[in-house]
């Protein structure tokens, strides 16, 4: 990026934050899945399963298909880059901006973590951290604000739908095994 970009000096910190935020969410829910099963903490285990299903459906399937189908260029895409297409989908990552996968993943993690947190200030902190990760994507010129908002909306919507279905079945004793 150009040295004229106002956050160029913090680029490595932003890059670390944008990636570390996702890995922390992944580690948290893998730990909840294992500990929930091992300690027989049913709520931990089921929320971790909701997270896993939402990540696979929302983050992996919905977001990836939309990115490749819409083929929106990233803010840092050069004018000379051309999208590589096959079967009507764009495979060039420079044209896979909309929606943001990082934002979908962190929104899914934040939603699921909020299901386990009792205090409003804890939920506010988690949601604020998720917003910070979305902001890093914009500041790194990897996504437009609309990409981040759409990715967050996909992550939250898919997680809420799966949680509503899954946890309602858990409450009635009809949860998937």
């Amino acid at each position: 990026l150009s040295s004229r970009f106002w956050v160029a000096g913090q680029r490595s910190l932003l890059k670390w934050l944008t990636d570390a935020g996702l890995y922390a969410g992944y580690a948290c829910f893998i730990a909840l899945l294992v500990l929930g099963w091992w300690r027989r903490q049913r709520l931990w285990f089921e929320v971790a399963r909701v997270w896993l299903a939402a990540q696979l459906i929302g983050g992996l399937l919905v977001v990836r298909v939309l990115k490749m189908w819409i083929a929106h260029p990233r803010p840092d895409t050069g004018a000379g880059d051309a999208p590589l297409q096959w079967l009507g989908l764009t495979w060039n990552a420079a044209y896979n901006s909309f929606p943001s996968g990082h934002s979908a993943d962190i929104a899914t993690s934040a939603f699921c973590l909020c299901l386990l947190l009792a205090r409003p200030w804890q939920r506010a902190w988690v949601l604020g951290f998720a917003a910070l990760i979305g902001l890093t994507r914009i500041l790194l010129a990897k996504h437009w604000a609309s990409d981040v908002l759409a990715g967050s909306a996909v992550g939250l919507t898919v997680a809420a739908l799966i949680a509503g279905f899954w946890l309602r079945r858990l409450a009635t004793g009809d949860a998937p095994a």
Side-chain angles (χ1 to χ4, degrees):
L1 277 180
S2 168
S3 61
R4 293 177 288 162
F5 191 54
W6 68 278
V7 293
Q10 289 75 35
R11 186 163 175 73
S12 34
L13 173 65
L14 292 170
K15 177 70 175 125
W16 176 84
L17 185 59
T18 198
D19 290 335
L22 289 185
Y23 300 142
Y26 300 157
C28 175
F29 283 98
I30 290 170
L32 279 173
L33 189 66
V34 171
L35 287 172
W37 174 79
W38 186 47
R39 292 188 174 181
R40 304 208 191 308
Q41 292 285 336
R42 179 105 188 208
L43 183 60
W44 293 0
F45 184 70
E46 294 302 335
V47 169
R49 288 175 65 183
V50 166
W51 171 83
L52 183 59
Q55 286 288 5
L56 292 173
I57 294 169
L60 194 59
L61 183 64
V62 174
V63 167
R64 299 300 175 244
V65 168
L66 285 173
K67 280 176 171 287
M68 296 169 74
W69 180 52
I70 294 171
H72 186 59
R74 295 179 184 272
D76 63 354
T77 299
D81 294 336
L84 171 65
Q85 292 193 342
W86 183 66
L87 296 176
L89 299 174
T90 301
W91 296 85
N92 183 343
Y95 288 86
N96 289 166
S97 184
F98 184 88
S100 167
H102 276 75
S103 297
D105 287 356
I106 198 70
T108 298
S109 294
F111 178 88
C112 291
L113 193 53
C114 284
L115 293 174
L116 297 172
L117 298 173
R119 295 187 172 84
W121 70 265
Q122 294 169 323
R123 292 183 190 134
W125 191 91
V126 167
L127 294 171
F129 183 75
L132 177 63
I133 299 302
L135 181 61
T136 65
R137 303 308 292 161
I138 297 166
L139 293 174
L140 288 167
K142 293 298 180 186
H143 289 286
W144 305 97
S146 58
D147 303 340
V148 169
L149 291 173
S152 297
V154 168
L156 290 171
T157 302
V158 171
L161 289 172
I162 291 172
F165 172 75
W166 202 299
L167 297 177
R168 186 177 312 113
R169 291 184 68 191
L170 176 65
T172 62
D174 198 23

